[in-house]
Structures are given as structure tokens and as C-alpha cells.
Amino acid sequence: MHPTIARMQEVVAKGDESLIHALLAEDVRFLPPTYYKTWTGRDPVAAVLGHVGQVFSEFRYRRVMGKDKDWALEFQCKVGDLDAVGVDLITLNDAGLIQEFEVVMRPYKTIGALRDAMNARVMTDARFLKYREALS
């Protein structure tokens, strides 16, 4: 297994954006399950993923599939009292850092709860006034 993927499994559920930050390429692109915009850049993506780590509970990876630069990590978690399953689709760059990170999840009701919880958190994080520029 690629060392970045192994390390990601250790840190993503902790919600510690400094640990996540170290795994991301400078121009990383993050495609969340809650809307069709893309976050771009190490600082904004680390901040978003840090908040996600605080919203998810009982997070664990169930299966990891991939090789070289392309990986799929199946997970399960809770958002509040709602269950969810999802997949992190990850592409690494030549330096072994995460270049693209797309998340797909179900069920729909849990994605709505995630969106609401994330919006509430982001509204209280002043950095996101600046990070909004990272959305495309």
C-alpha cells in the first residue's frame, strides 16, 4: 500500500487538519458529496476535511482498493444518529501527495445532515470568508 494512503487511514477520522495538510498537494482538488463545487488548494481542503473529521463519528475504513496513483477507500460512519457509507476516490501526484480527492456517499438523508452540519461549522470559522475563493 502507498504510504500516503496508509497514513491517511490513520489521520482522516481524527479531524486534525494539520495532519491532513501534510498529505495534500499544494493545488489539491476536493470534490465533496454535498454539492457540485470543487475546493482547490491545500489550506482550504485541509480545513474542510478537518471539519468533516469533527462531524463524522464512528468513522472507519472498511476496504481499500488501488495501486500506484489511484485509490478507492470505502468507509462507514455516522453523522449525528444517521448511518452512512461512502468511498474516498483518491489520485496521488508524482510526489505521492493527494492531488484529487472525491467523496461519494449514501444515503441521501445523511448527506443532507452532513451538509447542514458542515455549513454550521464553516459559518463559525472566519477563514472560510477567504477560502470561498477556493471554490469553483
Side-chain angles (χ1 to χ4, degrees):
M1 178 177 311
H2 193 283
T4 298
I5 299 301
R7 180 72 176 138
M8 188 183 139
Q9 291 179 77
E10 296 171 12
V11 304
V12 78
K14 293 179 181 176
D16 182 338
E17 72 180 76
S18 66
L19 298 174
I20 296 166
H21 191 275
L23 302 176
L24 303 175
E26 185 65 41
D27 58 346
V28 62
R29 292 173 17 98
F30 176 64
L31 295 86
T34 52
Y35 50 88
Y36 285 99
K37 292 188 176 186
T38 300
W39 290 95
T40 302
R42 182 182 289 146
D43 291 340
V45 170
V48 169
L49 294 175
H51 281 296
V52 169
Q54 300 298 316
V55 170
F56 286 167
S57 63
E58 299 179 32
F59 183 93
R60 74 176 184 88
Y61 283 110
R62 301 191 317 189
R63 292 189 291 173
V64 177
M65 300 154 276
K67 67 176 190 166
D68 302 325
K69 292 182 179 183
D70 296 308
W71 294 86
L73 293 80
E74 179 187 37
F75 64 86
Q76 69 182 52
C77 65
K78 286 189 170 288
V79 176
D81 61 352
L82 300 173
D83 293 313
V85 294
V87 178
D88 291 338
L89 300 170
I90 296 180
T91 301
L92 304 176
N93 66 13
D94 290 336
L97 297 174
I98 298 171
Q99 184 65 57
E100 187 150 326
F101 191 140
E102 181 174 5
V103 179
V104 293
M105 281 178 64
R106 68 175 187 84
Y108 180 76
K109 184 175 183 178
T110 305
I111 295 169
L114 173 61
R115 182 191 62 243
D116 294 345
M118 287 297 294
N119 283 337
R121 291 186 69 85
V122 166
M123 295 284 211
T124 64
D125 187 338
R127 297 174 300 167
F128 280 87
L129 291 173
K130 175 184 169 195
Y131 290 163
R132 292 174 74 181
E133 298 169 3
L135 280 171
S136 60

